[in-house]
Amino acid sequence: MSRVVSHRIPRNLAVLLAVACAVSLVAVTALWRPWVGEAPTSRADAGSAGSAGVVAGLELPENPRVLVFGDSWTYGSAATSPDEGYAYVLADLLGGETIVDGVRGSGYLKTGLDGGTFVERAQELDPALSPDLVIVQGSINDRKLGSAGYADAVATVWDTIASIYPNAAIVILGPAPQVLPVERATARIDNDLAQLAAERGWPYISPVQEAWITPANYSWVIDTSATGRDHPTSAGHAYLAERVAEALATFRVDAPAQ
C-alpha cells in the first residue's frame, strides 16, 4: 500500500536558514558537470526537445493542494522523521498543502518495498484527492532495469494521472543523484524523462542537469551511513524542498497574492 499523507507543517527555521546559506555554495559549483557529453534537456531547452514546442505555464491558486508522487525520497527516507522529507516541507514553502505518496524502492518499472510500481500505484490513486498540482518524482530505482519498456511505462503513468486529475497541472521532477559522479544510467533516465515531458509540453525539473547535488554540498545533503543508504538528510530534504519551490516558481504564470 502506498503511504499517502496530507501534510501542512510550520517551517523549521533552523534547518531552512542553514539551507539558505548553503544554497550560495551551489553557485560556486554550478558549472560542475561530470556527465558532459550526455547532458539531459534542461528546462530552458525543453521546448525544442519534443513536438509540443513550448512548455505550458503553471497556474496555481494562492494556497495550492499538491500531490507529490514518487519513491523513497518523496517518502522522506533518512530524514530524522519522514515528515521532515522534502515533500512535506514543500507545503509551507508553497503556502498550501501537500499530499505525500512515496513508496520506498518504487519506480516506473520497479516494484517498491511497500507498494507496487509507479504504473500500479498510479492506477490506485484516489480521484477524491483533487489536487491543483501533481508532482511526479524520480526514479533512480529504475536505473538497473534498462530502457526496454521504460517509455511505455512512463506514458501509462502520466496518462493515468492526467485522466484521474484532469484539472490538475502536472510537473515532472527527475531523479536526483544519490552518488557522485552521477551514474550513467541515472543520466539516461533523466534525459528520457526530459524528452518525454517536452513532447507533452509539461514542465520538467532536472536536479541532475541543474547540479542540485555537487561535491560542495554532498556531505550534508546526503546521508551515506548504513541507515541513511544514500538518501537526503533532514537538512538535505529541506534544501531539496527549497530547490523544488524555486523551480516551480520559474514555471508559474500566476503571482500568489501578497
Side-chain angles (χ1 to χ4, degrees), residues 13-183:
L13 291 177
V15 172
L16 291 180
L17 286 174
V19 169
C21 294
V23 167
S24 62
L25 292 176
V26 176
V28 177
T29 55
L31 297 179
W32 182 79
R33 294 288 191 277
W35 57 89
V36 167
E38 55 178 326
T41 303
S42 69
R43 283 184 287 141
D45 296 334
S48 61
S51 58
V54 179
V55 174
L58 184 62
E59 297 186 43
L60 296 176
E62 182 179 354
N63 304 115
R65 181 175 173 86
V66 182
L67 169 62
V68 188
F69 179 96
D71 57 26
S72 57
W73 290 50
T74 293
Y75 175 91
S77 290
T80 302
S81 65
D83 63 5
E84 291 184 7
Y86 86 91
Y88 295 91
V89 179
L90 189 61
D92 186 58
L93 298 179
L94 297 180
E97 174 187 10
T98 50
I99 304 160
V100 181
D101 188 338
V103 170
R104 297 172 295 175
S106 183
Y108 285 95
L109 296 174
K110 189 174 183 298
T111 299
L113 300 176
D114 312 304
T117 64
F118 278 20
V119 172
E120 295 164 334
R121 291 169 52 212
Q123 294 167 346
E124 297 171 354
L125 286 169
D126 182 2
L129 294 177
S130 190
D132 301 301
L133 169 65
V134 180
I135 299 174
V136 184
Q137 173 267 327
S139 172
I140 59 174
N141 294 322
D142 293 311
R143 68 193 187 281
K144 297 181 180 179
L145 300 181
S147 59
Y150 185 74
D152 288 340
V154 171
T156 298
V157 172
W158 294 0
D159 287 345
T160 300
I161 292 175
S163 66
I164 294 174
Y165 306 118
N167 297 319
I170 300 176
V171 172
I172 309 302
L173 172 59
Q178 84 287 12
V179 295
L180 296 178
V182 177
E183 294 178 315

Side-chain angles (χ1 to χ4, degrees), residues 78 223-231:
D223 182 349
T224 59
S225 69
T227 55
R229 300 182 62 188
D230 299 334
H231 289 87

